[in-house]
Amino acid sequence: MTWGPLAEIAVFTALAALGATLLMLPPGLAIAWALARGRFPGRTVLETLVSLPLVIPPVATGLLILWLFGPRGPAGRALAWIGVDVVFTWRAVVVAMAVMGLPLLVRTARAGFEQVARRYEQVAETLGAGPWRVFATITLPLSYRAILAGALLAFSRALGEFGATMVVAGSIPGRTRTLAVGIYSFTETGQDQEAAALLAVSVAIAFCAVLASNRLARTAAVR
Amino acid sequence: MTFDLDVVLRQGGFELRVQERVDARAVALVGPSGSGKTTLVEVVAGLRRPDRGTIAIDGRVLCSTAAGVHVAARDRRVGYVPQDVLLFPHLSVRRNVLYGARDGASADLDDVTELLELQPLMTRDVASLSGGERQRVALGRALMARPALLLLDEPLAAVDLPRRHRILQALLAIRDRLRLPMLYVAHAPEEIRVVADRVLALDAGRVIAAGPPADLLSADVMPRGSTTRMIGGRGLEP
């Protein structure tokens, strides 16, 4: 068993999960805020859509991403036009992780926004603050623990992402192979020691991330 | 200062229906809980939309459902201090006070700090303030936004009896030195007698009496309390 490729897989997975978390933060927070505060037509539909990746098979989500970002998909064509390939590259790994982690971020951040008393925001409004200033100086600071907890949860989910990643990125050693996909591939080829090593790394990283997320969520609830 | 209040607001089984034109510097709202005092203040602050009506302060229309005017809360220039004052818990006292500060606020800050005796509180943590201190900081925060009207919801409610005179002094200073008109929900007879020059008594969403404090204090519509002796003893009676 050589450690180099295994460490490479672990580092690649952590970086991809981090990238996915950063990628989903802006849309995730926007959706969470809209669901927490907004009253608009289609709110329930948006709420349902965002939660779908939690309940439909990850492989099916992967297939949807493949259609979207494939060479003939709308997003894939637009990106190809600026010279960016997605499917079966590291970018596909990040996209798959982001889509699968998004519901967890949105749910946790939304709960955080809902806990911020609307009346603090109203007082800020009477002091002349516009919606962006209210969000940046009142809502966000008062809910940052919940947002951080949600981001960590989504990061942990991204670390373990398998089904969608397999469909859109495959298991290309040194290019798209993640911890979860690696464990599966090594097991398939009878490399049990490698699979066990990746398993141990997966458990260790996920344990730390979920522990931190839970602690943050608890202190967020106490505030 | 003329307060034109013509408001109809329905919420569940409750209906607030107020139609009053009041000339005063400080208007006290009195009435039992659930009579609509806080709702009226929130409507004037722009935090609730009336179903129908017009609100104008000295001719400046803040809201008119007939004309389709609804000035947003942030543009109303009202200093609003809710009953639970709601200091921003994640900001220092200083940053709370400066939250709504307009350009060139350093002179304002000196004035407000002096008026409300905030200097010793500036470096304190919001969580460590007493009820009276919180009220003064919230007043300072409201004043720093250079409001044209001050809206207060029971400014004495969370203040210990011995410290109430300080808040009353602050309210008098705001009324007389800053000449800032006030509409406030009154909690105790003292804050009506000392601060208000007009009183609106509400019950079940309707104005049941209106007039100068002296006329209404004898009537059966004023809040009762045991604080007269405490405050009166400090020489704040007019």
Side-chain angles (χ1 to χ4, degrees):
Chain A
M1 186 170 77
T2 48
W3 289 102
L6 297 183
E8 203 175 88
I9 290 174
V11 171
F12 169 72
T13 308
L15 286 178
L18 187 66
T21 309
L22 294 176
L23 180 70
M24 71 177 108
L25 264 174
L29 292 187
I31 295 168
W33 188 86
L35 292 177
R37 287 284 185 265
R39 294 287 171 270
F40 52 91
R43 187 168 167 274
T44 322
V45 175
L46 177 67
E47 197 176 5
T48 311
L49 272 178
V50 172
S51 297
L52 273 187
L54 279 182
V55 287
I56 61 175
V59 176
T61 307
L63 199 57
L64 282 171
I65 299 173
L66 192 62
W67 283 343
L68 264 176
F69 286 89
R72 279 183 304 243
R77 257 191 273 180
L79 287 168
W81 196 64
I82 54 167
V84 175
D85 276 338
V86 175
V87 292
F88 294 103
T89 70
W90 63 269
R91 296 184 191 93
V93 176
V94 172
V95 169
M97 287 177 166
V99 171
M100 297 304 294
L102 189 71
L104 296 173
L105 172 67
V106 169
R107 280 168 169 251
T108 319
R110 176 189 175 176
F113 289 149
E114 280 170 349
Q115 273 178 14
V116 174
R118 173 83 185 100
R119 302 190 56 230
Y120 283 117
E121 299 170 337
Q122 289 184 327
V123 169
E125 284 167 35
T126 66
L127 292 166
W132 280 111
R133 180 154 184 247
V134 172
F135 181 74
T137 61
I138 305 295
T139 319
L140 213 51
L142 285 179
S143 51
Y144 84 95
R145 281 168 185 275
I147 294 167
L148 218 55
L152 269 168
L153 209 56
F155 173 80
S156 320
R157 175 66 185 81
L159 283 177
E161 216 307 293
F162 175 77
T165 310
M166 199 65 181
V167 176
V168 289
S171 175
I172 309 166
R175 283 187 61 197
T176 66
R177 184 169 285 179
T178 62
L179 283 168
V181 172
I183 291 170
Y184 175 76
S185 301
F186 284 132
T187 309
E188 278 275 274
T189 51
Q191 295 166 275
D192 291 345
Q193 274 189 324
E194 282 83 352
L198 290 187
L199 174 73
V201 174
S202 295
V203 171
I205 301 179
F207 183 85
C208 294
V210 175
L211 188 75
S213 170
N214 283 344
R215 285 197 160 188
L216 281 166
R218 201 172 305 135
T219 42
V222 167
R223 274 168 68 96
Chain B
M1 182 64 60
T2 309
F3 296 80
D4 276 307
L5 305 171
D6 177 7
V7 173
V8 178
L9 184 144
R10 291 180 199 90
Q11 191 171 50
F14 175 77
E15 185 191 62
L16 177 72
R17 188 180 283 270
V18 170
Q19 195 169 21
E20 288 292 329
R21 186 187 174 95
V22 186
D23 278 303
R25 289 179 300 169
V27 180
L29 297 172
V30 301
S33 64
S35 58
K37 307 178 301 277
T38 297
T39 306
L40 182 60
V41 167
E42 287 179 352
V43 168
V44 177
L47 303 177
R48 284 170 185 254
R49 276 173 190 259
D51 294 307
R52 191 176 62 67
T54 303
I55 296 163
I57 308 296
D58 252 359
R60 187 167 78 104
V61 177
L62 299 179
C63 170
S64 165
T65 49
V69 175
H70 182 85
V71 178
R74 68 171 179 276
D75 297 322
R76 287 198 178 192
R77 299 198 53 205
V78 294
Y80 170 56
V81 181
Q83 190 179 349
D84 40 359
V85 301
L86 295 175
L87 295 180
F88 303 132
H90 59 300
L91 300 180
S92 65
V93 168
R94 187 181 175 79
R95 289 185 64 199
N96 263 281
V97 171
L98 287 173
Y99 189 86
R102 309 269 160 168
D103 293 341
S106 59
D108 290 0
L109 183 62
D110 293 343
D111 292 347
V112 168
T113 307
E114 189 224 312
L115 184 84
L116 299 168
E117 299 171 62
L118 293 179
Q119 199 55 51
L121 308 179
M122 283 306 215
T123 52
R124 295 262 299 276
D125 187 45
V126 162
S128 74
L129 301 178
S130 71
E133 290 166 343
R134 295 173 74 80
Q135 189 63 239
R136 273 152 58 207
V137 172
L139 280 169
R141 178 177 67 178
L143 292 179
M144 284 302 291
R146 287 191 200 151
L149 167 70
L150 204 53
L151 299 170
L152 312 173
D153 197 346
E154 301 208 8
L156 295 190
V159 183
D160 295 342
L161 285 181
R163 299 206 173 81
R164 287 190 172 178
H165 76 285
R166 216 165 172 183
I167 302 294
L168 281 176
Q169 275 173 331
L171 295 181
L172 282 176
I174 290 166
R175 188 192 73 184
D176 299 334
R177 277 168 58 190
L178 304 183
R179 299 190 170 282
L180 191 57
M182 283 186 236
L183 175 69
Y184 69 101
V185 179
H187 174 71
E190 289 70 35
E191 58 189 317
I192 300 161
R193 199 171 315 179
V194 174
V195 184
D197 47 12
R198 275 291 179 279
V199 180
L200 290 185
L202 271 73
D203 192 19
R206 302 284 195 280
V207 174
I208 54 164
D215 291 3
L216 273 81
L217 272 167
S218 53
D220 199 26
V221 292
M222 300 303 258
R224 292 175 209 289
S226 55
T227 57
T228 315
R229 193 167 26 84
M230 304 289 299
I231 309 293
R234 294 181 189 272
L236 271 163
E237 295 282 340

